[in-house]
Structure formats: C-alpha cells, structure tokens
Amino acid sequence: MSWTISENSFWGPLDPAADAGYPEDRPKRKGFFTDTSICIGCKACEVACKEWNDVPSDHFDMTGTSYDNSHSLNANQWRHVAFIEQPKRLVTEGAGQDTGLRGTVDLGMPTVPPTGAPEQLANGADDRPDFRWLMSSDVCKHCTHAACLDVCPTGSLFRTEFGTVVVQDDICNGCGYCVPACPYGVIERRKAPDGAKNVGIAQKCTLCYDRLDAGKTPACAQACPTQSIQYGDVEELRERANKRVEQLHDAGIMDARLYGNDPEDGVGGTGAFFLLLDEPEVYGFPPDPVVTTKDLPDMYKRAIAAAGTLLAGAALAFVGRRG
Ligand code: SF4
Ligand code: SF4
C-alpha cells in the first residue's frame, strides 16, 4: 500500500480513502444524505441500528422537555432522532397572508385535520397550535478529516476503503483522546450497562461496515420508511441533496439548507450530511466545526518563528559576549 501526502492532507477537500493509501480500484466513497424535511420521527433507524450492531439499550426515559426518550448520540446510541418543538409554522414565502395555513406545504409529515367552530373554519381559521416539529436523525459524520482518527494513538480508529471511519474494539485501549477531539461530540467510551460488551471502549456508528462489505445498505437507511436517510456514493448524494434544496426553494421553503456537504468547510465536508429546515444550532449541530489539524500550518509557522527568534537571540548574545 502506498501512502500519498498531498497539500490538503490535513485539511481541505480530498478523497479520504485515496489519502489513506487505498489503491485506484477502491470503491467510491460511501455516506448518508439525511433529508430531515421528510423524517416522521418513527425512530425505526434507531431500532434498526441497535438490532444490527448489537448496541445495548440504556438510559431510555423522557426528558420532560420533549417526546424524545433517547436524549443524544452516545456510546449506546449510534443514531439519535431529535424531536424539536418549535414555535413556528412551516409557511411558504409570500403565501397565506391571513392565517398562514394556506402557505403550508405538504412534506408528508403526519398531521391532523383542522378543528374549530364551523364559522371559524369557513373563514379559513382553525385552532391548531402555532408550532411545528423538526425531526432529524443524527449520526457520526464520517468526516473527510476526522479528528477522532487523527488523535487515536493505537490505530484503533481507521479509515475504511469506503472512506468511512470505524473503531476496532479489540485495539482501542480506552484512553479517550478521541472523545474531546470530535468537533460534533459523537464518539464516547461505553460506561454502561453493567455486563455489556465493550465497556470502556470508544463506540460510534460504523456506517455498518460489515453490511457495506457484503454489498448491503446500512441498517438505518434500509429501515427508514420515508427515505429520510439515503445511503450511496457521496458524490451522487451531494447532487441529489442540491436538487432537493432547489425543489424546496421552488416550493417557497426558503429555510431549506444543507449542512456538512461543503468540502471547503472546517472538516473538508462530511460523509454524512443533512438537509435542515432551520439553523444548525436548532438541531444541536455546531455551526462551524473545525478539525484541529486545520490549524497545523499556523502552529508550524508560529513554532518556526519562535525557534528563529530564540536562535537569533542566542546568536546575538554570543556575539555580544565576544565583543
Ligand atoms: S463526527 Fe466525530 S466521531 Fe465521527 S468521524 Fe467525525 S470526528 Fe470522528
Ligand atoms: S426511520 Fe426515517 S423517518 Fe423514521 S425516525 Fe429515522 S429518519 Fe425519521
């Protein structure tokens, strides 16, 4: 296997599998496009992930602030569907001046018929609550430049031939360096439940590496009934995502935007990216994630400048003493 170091090896756009030295005949980079506009919050993806990957059940209880009972991504939750209750209706731009309801767009979300007094309904009014649900199935982003992998001292985290990032349970020593390195807060060491396998070991989504190896679709994408989670070649998924945003903009949903699809962003783009209907922070995503290696050139420059200054100072002191 040959190792190639390009000028973008620590940041910027590149093919991560090629950068890791996989040969020309490697498979195309694989990933997820999650279209949150058609997620219905059924959590089939969470269940399928647990079933296939034998991820233990732990800490299922209601938060008191949402119908979500699985809280966040963690070592025992490799997929997490966020339920965000927002005091805002999905209204298309320029439509429905009176009640807002005429401007709503059917995205396939579950709904209830309008209720209220007949005279109110005849006037176009109803008493539906003035809020919307945003649902989004989160996962490891399989970053182009993966900080978790960069800091792993044992080589337990590795880049696969599909361009994804996978933990080898039997090589991880549980040092936990990867945990604070991840700019998305995805990877975590398993702490519970008692008796579960891999307690103490870093855990996260593998993009179902074993299924990919067998030519199958990852379990979550296979189980998603609305195709909110789409699996495939990253390049093709990016095109599909751009078209979907255009389609939503044409329908007047100007809030639709992509997150993680830009190879020029702070992690070189992600292998798992999202279509959102609001700012990333609303979904709990960092707005501008950056892999620490992106700062390496500046750090090297400063270290070289500091070393140069020290050497110059030492030389001046030496010359001064001789004079
Ligand atoms: S999201 Fe975090 S855990 Fe996943 S590849 Fe990126 S740095 Fe690693
Ligand atoms: S399976 Fe699909 S629709 Fe159901 S919660 Fe997951 S992403 Fe949403």
Side-chain angles (χ1 to χ4, degrees), residues 1 12 16 23 28 31 52 54 130 159 167 220 224 276 280:
M1 184 183 294
K28 287 186 177 167
W52 182 263
D54 195 17
D130 208 11
R159 183 75 64 181
V167 188
C220 55
C224 178
L276 306 179

Side-chain angles (χ1 to χ4, degrees), residues 34-36 38-48 79-83 135-138 220-221 223-229:
T34 302
D35 180 352
T36 70
I38 50 173
C39 174
I40 55 172
C42 66
K43 294 204 177 222
C45 49
E46 285 189 5
V47 176
R79 271 261 172 210
H80 169 247
V81 183
F83 283 29
M135 285 145 184
S136 165
S137 182
D138 196 7
C220 55
C224 178
T226 66
Q227 296 192 327
S228 171
I229 301 171

